[in-house]
Amino acid sequence: MKYKYYNGFCSDYFKEELEIIERTPFHTKVKDRKKVFSQTPTNDWYKEKLIEEKWKPEFFKKSPYGEKCDFYKNSTIIEVQFGKYFSLYKDILHLEWLYEHNIISSVIYITACKQNGDSILIYNKAEKAFDYFLNKKTNIPVLLVGLHWDNEV
């Protein structure tokens, strides 16, 4: 795992969530005769585990930049993004709008450390975007998490 903290994000309040992230199984599928990462079962696993911890899935709050976030609890968002790179920018704008309107107070943003299979957004690209936006444009407390693909189910 890789972690980067922005704008005073305090992980002390999220011990259970960080333990869940640390236990993330890395689901695979066969594509073109290769074993590659599979997003859907990993997303389903997060949904199951976070609901057990009283997180609300698919939090809907419309902004000019989007309408939903993956998980919400006590004014914090967990966003899991293994998809397209452009989604990151949309997410940042949406989350900033929610933060500016006092709807959220912090974000845990989870992505992959390296491209594998259908995953396009990777940690180092997300880190560059967050470095730019969160150090210059916004004050949202964010924990950026990069998952490694070493463990396979």
Side-chain angles (χ1 to χ4, degrees):
M1 301 287 169
K2 287 185 177 181
Y3 298 99
K4 188 159 186 181
Y5 299 86
Y6 294 92
N7 298 324
F9 182 92
C10 184
S11 61
D12 293 345
Y13 300 115
F14 299 99
K15 291 185 188 307
E16 294 86 9
E17 291 77 9
L18 294 177
E19 287 174 10
I20 289 170
I21 293 167
E22 287 286 335
R23 293 192 329 261
T24 304
F26 297 92
H27 297 91
T28 61
K29 64 183 177 183
V30 176
K31 183 175 183 179
D32 299 327
R33 290 187 250 169
K34 292 182 191 174
K35 214 182 241 191
V36 297
F37 171 68
S38 183
Q39 300 179 84
T40 302
T42 303
N43 289 336
D44 291 345
W45 185 85
Y46 274 123
K47 188 173 186 177
E48 175 188 333
K49 298 302 177 190
L50 291 170
I51 287 173
E52 288 174 9
E53 294 295 325
K54 309 293 186 236
W55 284 81
K56 296 177 187 172
E58 296 187 351
F59 172 70
F60 285 90
K61 195 66 175 176
K62 193 170 173 91
S63 80
Y65 310 103
E67 5 184 280
K68 84 173 189 73
C69 299
D70 291 336
F71 301 97
Y72 177 85
K73 177 178 164 184
N74 298 334
S75 78
T76 296
I77 295 290
I78 294 180
E79 190 68 30
V80 182
Q81 184 58 262
F82 301 123
K84 301 198 177 1
Y85 187 41
F86 73 84
S87 297
L88 169 67
Y89 295 106
K90 185 177 142 232
D91 289 345
I92 290 172
L93 291 170
H94 180 62
L95 295 167
E96 169 61 17
W97 188 91
L98 294 174
Y99 182 76
E100 284 179 354
H101 288 83
N102 297 314
I103 297 165
I104 65 170
S105 62
S106 59
V107 175
I108 300 172
Y109 201 91
I110 303 169
T111 192
C113 278
K114 66 180 184 177
Q115 189 169 341
N116 188 328
D118 296 330
S119 176
I120 297 171
L121 176 63
I122 56 175
Y123 180 87
N124 67 344
K125 288 180 181 179
E127 182 180 34
K128 287 178 185 178
F130 277 119
D131 284 350
Y132 178 78
F133 283 101
L134 298 181
N135 288 331
K136 296 179 182 175
K137 306 290 183 193
T138 184
N139 295 316
I140 308 172
V142 173
L143 171 58
L144 175 62
V145 179
L147 302 175
H148 286 286
W149 303 119
D150 298 337
N151 303 333
E152 295 181 342
V153 170

